[in-house]
Amino acid sequence: EEEEEEEDERLRVIYFLSEKNEFPEVRNFVQEQVDRYSLNIQTHCTDFVSGLTSCIDEEQKKIDASASSPSANKKTVHLGFVLGTRKGDPNCGDQRYFEPSSTWLPPFMRINPILDWDYGQIWRFLLWSGLEYPSLYDNGYTSLGGMHDSWRNPHLKKPDDSYFPAHMLSDWSLERAGRSKRQRSSVDCELEAGADDQRLGSEIKTAGLIVVGNEILKGMTPDTNTPFAMALLKQNGVALKRVSLISDKEDDIVDEIRRQVSACDVVITSGGLGPTHDDVTLYAVARALGQRMVQNPDLISLIREKKKRRRLAEASQQADRSAATSSTAAPTPTQKMKEGGGGAQNPGKK
């Protein structure tokens, strides 16, 4: 009983372990901290929602078991979880220091003590306090998920192909530039639906807009897309958080997409989708999100059908123009001379 009571008093932590994708360095770090601070750790080898649900259900069972009698009024468990959420994190939205869980999660209280800390403040605190952190952060990683969606931040790469440590990142908005699916051997991109697609519609609160086009930057073409998008998003209750007007350079588009994805619920791109050599937006999106491109059969059919209708319309218009020309055209002077058998002969020809 004493051992059980002592364990209950230890600081409790929940560890969501992906046995397939977890970095060995992270797993070792977690175990080292458990041993160092004598933590009461609960490990869940499942997704976030299932793990939280299981944790809350276990606590509810303990409360029910401790009831004086089965007929006694049952108490509902109320749990709070201390998180490392910061503003700018994906899906942070408008969270406050104490924020009830979203409707798609089991009910609990989110406690966000470092909500207003930025990337630089995090690293100043870690370096000042001497607290340990996973060694990956000393080797170019600035944001860690799993091995399937995290790699070294390209903005920390040195000329010799090694990497600066995470605290050397100068542009803090690029913290998540190394987070997405790992790039595959193909340049092409296949859009993969995430597990949370069903809740995106109700969770979208902020949007980012990226307008691509050298012709707009040079003043050759006016930007009409931004005012249109602003009005449409406002009508649908979505706040436009950031608008960027950038060139057709693929690297610039990739960097801006990654920057906005880390700050907005949804990112919209406009421009650079045509067939010419400088239309690289699709390839940039693929690189930024670590996807590969494949042909969409439905879209191809739509384009072919549209081109077919356009060809038929053009052929019909050409036939109408030809008929109109044949019926109204007057004979030219040359035609009259040929019909009369006369005409001047070029003296230079025999």
Side-chain angles (χ1 to χ4, degrees):
E1 291 181 1
E2 291 181 359
E3 292 181 357
E4 182 177 342
E5 186 175 322
E6 180 181 351
E7 181 175 333
D8 289 341
E9 294 177 353
R10 294 156 62 195
L11 182 63
R12 296 175 60 188
V13 296
I14 299 179
Y15 178 35
F16 293 94
L17 171 64
S18 172
E19 295 182 306
K20 179 181 178 181
N21 296 314
E22 184 67 282
F23 284 99
E25 295 88 342
V26 172
R27 183 182 295 195
N28 294 337
F29 171 78
V30 170
Q31 188 57 53
E32 289 171 1
Q33 304 315 303
V34 168
D35 297 338
R36 180 185 298 273
Y37 298 106
S38 186
L39 302 175
N40 177 9
I41 187 171
Q42 294 182 14
T43 301
H44 294 277
C45 299
T46 182
D47 62 272
F48 186 68
V49 177
S50 300
L52 285 177
T53 302
S54 175
C55 178
I56 293 174
D57 288 345
E58 289 177 9
E59 291 301 314
Q60 185 64 59
K61 290 178 181 177
K62 291 179 182 179
I63 291 179
D64 294 343
S66 64
S68 57
S69 66
S71 59
N73 293 331
K74 289 188 176 182
K75 297 181 179 180
T76 302
V77 63
H78 297 285
L79 294 183
F81 294 91
V82 179
L83 306 173
T85 300
R86 293 182 290 118
K87 287 182 178 178
D89 287 350
N91 300 321
C92 173
D94 298 323
Q95 286 190 40
R96 297 158 294 181
Y97 291 110
F98 293 91
E99 186 74 25
S101 58
S102 302
T103 55
W104 53 275
L105 288 169
F108 65 91
M109 180 62 72
R110 291 182 284 205
I111 305 171
N112 303 314
I114 60 172
L115 187 65
D116 291 323
W117 288 31
D118 58 33
Y119 182 83
Q121 289 172 321
I122 293 290
W123 276 108
R124 281 197 294 272
F125 175 76
L126 288 175
L127 297 175
W128 169 81
S129 64
L131 290 174
E132 295 183 347
Y133 50 83
S135 59
L136 293 168
Y137 288 116
D138 286 330
N139 293 285
Y141 290 86
T142 55
S143 180
L144 291 177
M147 292 188 295
H148 66 298
D149 64 359
S150 307
W151 66 87
R152 292 177 175 86
N153 193 317
H155 299 280
L156 290 175
K157 192 172 184 179
K158 300 179 182 178
D160 63 357
D161 289 338
S162 62
Y163 288 80
F164 288 106
H167 68 267
M168 295 291 289
L169 185 67
S170 57
D171 186 348
W172 300 338
S173 67
L174 298 174
E175 172 187 354
R176 296 179 62 85
R179 286 292 297 276
S180 62
K181 300 289 185 182
R182 284 192 183 275
Q183 292 184 356
R184 304 167 185 172
S185 56
S186 171
V187 191
D188 305 17
C189 172
E190 178 181 9
L191 298 179
E192 298 175 346
D196 56 355
D197 280 352
Q198 294 181 351
R199 63 179 174 84
L200 284 181
S202 59
E203 294 290 323
I204 292 176
K205 296 181 180 179
T206 61
L209 175 63
I210 303 174
V211 182
V212 180
N214 288 337
E215 67 279 5
I216 299 177
L217 289 172
K218 294 176 181 179
M220 300 167 58
T221 303
D223 174 22
T224 58
N225 291 328
T226 299
F228 176 80
M230 292 173 66
L232 196 59
L233 290 169
K234 184 177 181 180
Q235 290 176 10
N236 289 273
V238 179
L240 187 55
K241 189 174 182 179
R242 181 185 179 98
V243 178
S244 298
L245 179 56
I246 58 178
S247 68
D248 294 320
K249 187 177 179 181
E250 186 173 332
D251 289 343
D252 292 345
I253 304 173
V254 170
D255 289 344
E256 186 58 29
I257 290 172
R258 288 174 175 169
R259 183 179 290 109
Q260 292 204 18
V261 163
S262 67
C264 306
D265 296 329
V266 64
V267 177
I268 304 168
T269 64
S270 171
L273 298 174
T276 60
H277 69 283
D278 58 346
D279 291 316
V280 295
T281 299
L282 282 178
Y283 295 97
V285 172
R287 280 181 52 196
L289 302 181
Q291 306 285 337
R292 62 186 185 87
M293 294 178 65
V294 295
Q295 290 186 344
N296 184 320
D298 295 334
L299 188 57
I300 290 175
S301 298
L302 181 65
I303 293 173
R304 285 176 176 169
E305 183 62 29
K306 187 172 182 179
K307 289 182 68 176
K308 181 180 178 181
R309 290 197 301 266
R310 179 178 294 178
R311 284 196 299 267
L312 291 174
E314 290 176 349
S316 177
Q317 292 173 3
Q318 182 62 36
D320 292 342
R321 285 195 296 268
S322 299
T325 302
S326 300
S327 61
T328 60
T332 65
T334 303
Q335 290 174 327
K336 290 182 178 179
M337 293 172 66
K338 288 183 178 179
E339 292 171 358
Q345 185 176 12
N346 188 338
K349 292 185 179 180
K350 295 183 179 180

